[in-house]
Amino acid sequence: MNSDTPTETLELTGESCPMPVVKTKQAVDDLSSGALLEVRATDAGSVSDIDGWAAGTPGVELIGQSEEIQADKTVYVHRVRVE
Amino acid sequence: MSTDTETEVTDEHPDGAATRIEELEARIETLEAEMDATAGTEMGDEKSMVIVATKGTLDMAYPPLILASTAAAFGWDVTVFHTFWGLDILHEEQSTDLKLSAIGNPNMSVPNAVAALPGMDRLATTMMERRIAGNDVATIDELLQTSLEMGVDLQACQMTMDLMDYDDDAFHDGVTVGVGAATALSEMADADVQLLV
């Protein structure tokens, strides 16, 4: 499997601040080293928030962020590697 | 005589310096090992925050809980010390019925004379609750339970508990009761971030 393929997906559409960061953290805690978590949120603030959270949290690395349109809504996709 | 002494010092100096350097290198290794051992622990780079929450209106209940749960997501050690009307955020019954005041807020679309009429606080609260639900904003209960799950220490001030006539068992499970200003201050003195809300 490609190392850039997410091993887990966390669906957070419809969640607002602070839940995208909080639930991402809770999901990361349950994952083992090397896992790649894809977080899918509709909160526009999650782009800045997850970036800031990953920068200030040991043991996680933000691999990338992108946007998708899904059912007329913008979904912000964050890929977080567990170290 | 004096020449002999100088010769002795000159002869000893390189050896003494070498020994001293070896000692210092050993000391550096020991200290580096200690730093590695404490990295990521409380003695290392883990941050801490203490918030004092004094308000119990619906709008003022949000900031402490949002900051507390977010800081916990950063791995910070978080304490929220609730006093006066802040206690209502932790109170099992009161926390489900926090209200927004229609009066005294110039940003409200109604003049104070109208906002002071009976039922206006209820109306303002209902409107805000609809907005909260419509914008997928977490409820106070959801934030409270999440904060507790993430290890945030939610404390209830004993003096104001007595003042408001609240019993220990009136609060949500997991709330720390029986603490005072000295507890809050000692934690604040060691914390990286201290906030009064």
Side-chain angles (χ1 to χ4, degrees):
Chain A
M1 190 172 68
N2 188 319
S3 65
D4 288 339
T5 308
T7 53
E8 307 287 335
T9 302
L10 182 62
E11 196 59 57
L12 294 180
T13 51
E15 298 272 4
S16 288
C17 174
M19 287 309 178
V21 161
V22 167
K23 291 192 173 177
T24 300
K25 161 68 174 173
Q26 287 178 320
V28 160
D29 282 348
D30 289 337
L31 295 174
S32 48
S33 177
L36 182 60
L37 176 68
E38 180 175 280
V39 179
R40 304 176 61 81
T42 43
D43 173 22
S46 69
V47 176
S48 169
D49 279 0
I50 292 198
D51 185 22
W53 167 78
T57 306
V60 296
E61 187 191 356
L62 185 61
I63 303 293
Q65 294 179 305
S66 56
E67 291 179 21
E68 291 174 12
I69 303 294
Q70 184 180 307
D72 291 341
K73 278 186 182 168
T74 306
V75 178
Y76 302 91
V77 183
H78 317 274
R79 292 145 81 89
V80 177
R81 169 96 63 207
V82 182
E83 292 172 338
Chain B
M1 188 68 185
S2 67
T3 315
D4 286 350
T5 311
E6 274 175 20
T7 312
E8 270 175 33
V9 169
T10 317
D11 283 345
E12 261 181 27
H13 188 72
D15 285 348
T19 312
R20 185 79 188 122
I21 288 169
E22 272 175 29
E23 281 173 8
L24 286 171
E25 280 174 349
R27 182 77 186 130
I28 288 168
E29 271 179 35
T30 311
L31 289 172
E32 280 179 349
E34 280 176 16
M35 275 174 66
D36 287 346
T38 55
T41 67
E42 206 169 325
M43 296 300 292
D45 54 2
E46 184 183 314
K47 291 194 178 345
S48 60
M49 174 168 74
V50 177
I51 301 175
V52 178
T54 65
K55 304 274 196 283
T57 54
L58 182 60
D59 51 335
M60 294 305 276
Y62 272 94
L65 286 173
I66 289 174
L67 290 173
S69 54
T70 305
F74 275 78
W76 294 12
D77 185 20
V78 186
T79 298
V80 190
F81 181 83
H82 296 74
T83 185
F84 284 87
W85 280 269
L87 286 175
D88 286 353
I89 303 169
L90 305 180
H91 194 281
E92 269 186 321
E93 277 177 38
Q94 303 281 11
S95 64
T96 61
D97 194 27
L98 299 180
K99 295 181 187 71
L100 190 69
S101 177
I103 203 164
N105 182 350
N107 289 344
M108 284 271 176
S109 53
V110 287
N112 277 345
V114 177
L117 294 172
M120 285 306 287
D121 283 351
R122 187 70 261 166
L123 182 67
T125 303
T126 304
M127 283 170 66
M128 181 56 84
E129 283 171 343
R130 277 192 198 143
R131 274 180 174 249
I132 286 168
N135 284 281
D136 299 317
V137 172
T139 61
I140 289 298
D141 189 56
E142 194 180 347
L143 288 169
L144 190 86
Q145 296 305 335
T146 303
S147 296
L148 286 169
E149 272 172 34
M150 300 188 79
V152 173
D153 188 9
L154 298 176
Q155 300 181 340
C157 161
Q158 185 64 51
M159 183 276 280
T160 39
M161 275 173 61
D162 297 342
L163 188 69
M164 316 276 273
D165 205 15
Y166 288 160
D167 291 331
D168 288 4
D169 53 12
F171 296 102
H172 287 275
D173 290 342
V175 167
T176 305
V177 294
V179 297
T183 312
L185 267 183
S186 67
E187 291 193 31
M188 289 166 92
D190 293 333
D192 298 289
V193 178
Q194 305 92 352
L195 297 170
L196 174 70
V197 178

